[in-house]
Amino acid sequence: MISKKNIAKTVAALGTVALGVTAATTVANADAVYTVKSGDTLSSISQKFANNNSLVNTIAQDNHITDVNKIFVGQRLVIKGNYGQQQNQNTQNTNTTSQAAAQTQTTTNNNTANTSYNSSVSGSDAAAKAWIANRESGGNYGATNGQYIGKYQLSASYLNGDYSAANQERVADQYVASRYGSWTNAQQFWMANGWY
């Protein structure tokens, strides 16, 4: 004879097993959502998540992209698999490398004549400028992404072949002043759109 007590124990045990299966499934499928930024390609996004181009077709297929050469700034892409965890590790490794490279670049620039530029940005604008630099390149003057160069990921055409830290700072200040009026406004735009 089956008692109500035995049924309750069986249901509780099944619930625990089901919960364990659900939790395991959630961990195993740690999908990531990536918002496309200016200069991104499916190839560069694949590089960020898998350190190679192996995900290009998979990302396109999973996100119903018919032309792998057409993605749009602000578009949200689902990257299926455990790549979200790998991306976090890759980002930490990249940030460490970027910080070391930025320190080396700063030291080099401090020892070179005619590379000084004193930005007049201060207060909340200086904080917004640093925030954007961190988001764009991890503060690395040597960062590149296609046609975008340096600490602020400016178009190479803006820099006119001079990739020095001083010129990057000068051009970034000019660009932001003419387009947004202030670094604070540029940061607000970045936060809304994922680029500035």
Side-chain angles (χ1 to χ4, degrees):
M1 175 176 212
I2 300 175
S3 71
K4 288 181 184 179
K5 192 174 187 180
N6 287 340
I7 291 173
K9 286 181 183 177
T10 303
V11 169
L14 288 174
T16 303
V17 170
L19 181 60
V21 170
T22 302
T25 302
T26 302
V27 172
N29 294 325
D31 297 345
V33 176
Y34 180 82
T35 303
V36 176
K37 295 186 289 272
S38 180
D40 278 343
T41 64
L42 287 183
S43 179
S44 69
I45 294 167
S46 179
Q47 287 287 338
K48 289 178 185 180
F49 284 89
N51 290 327
N52 59 46
N53 290 331
S54 65
L55 294 179
V56 171
N57 291 328
T58 303
I59 294 170
Q61 185 177 29
D62 290 345
N63 291 279
H64 310 290
I65 298 170
T66 55
D67 184 347
V68 295
N69 296 311
K70 289 187 181 178
I71 57 175
F72 304 96
V73 172
Q75 184 176 2
R76 295 172 58 90
L77 303 175
V78 174
I79 314 298
K80 293 189 175 180
N82 290 325
Y83 298 105
Q85 294 169 351
Q86 290 176 2
Q87 171 62 11
N88 289 339
Q89 183 61 40
N90 292 343
T91 301
Q92 290 170 356
N93 292 342
T94 301
N95 287 344
T96 303
T97 303
S98 296
Q99 290 167 354
Q103 182 62 40
T104 301
Q105 184 68 38
T106 301
T107 303
T108 302
N109 288 335
N110 288 340
N111 294 332
T112 307
N114 287 331
T115 60
S116 65
Y117 168 75
N118 293 324
S119 177
S120 61
V121 176
S122 62
S124 62
D125 277 341
K129 183 177 182 180
W131 185 90
I132 288 174
N134 189 45
R135 298 288 182 183
E136 291 293 316
S137 69
N140 183 357
Y141 287 110
T144 60
N145 182 7
Q147 71 173 19
Y148 302 100
I149 308 291
K151 185 174 182 178
Y152 303 99
Q153 291 295 282
L154 299 167
S155 174
S157 63
Y158 286 136
L159 295 169
N160 292 321
D162 180 358
Y163 302 143
S164 68
N167 192 53
Q168 287 183 41
E169 295 289 340
R170 178 178 22 262
V171 171
D173 283 346
Q174 292 169 348
Y175 169 76
V176 166
S178 68
R179 181 168 175 136
Y180 301 103
S182 72
W183 280 98
T184 303
N185 291 343
Q187 180 184 18
Q188 290 171 350
F189 184 90
W190 198 107
M191 290 168 57
N193 299 285
W195 61 279
Y196 79 109

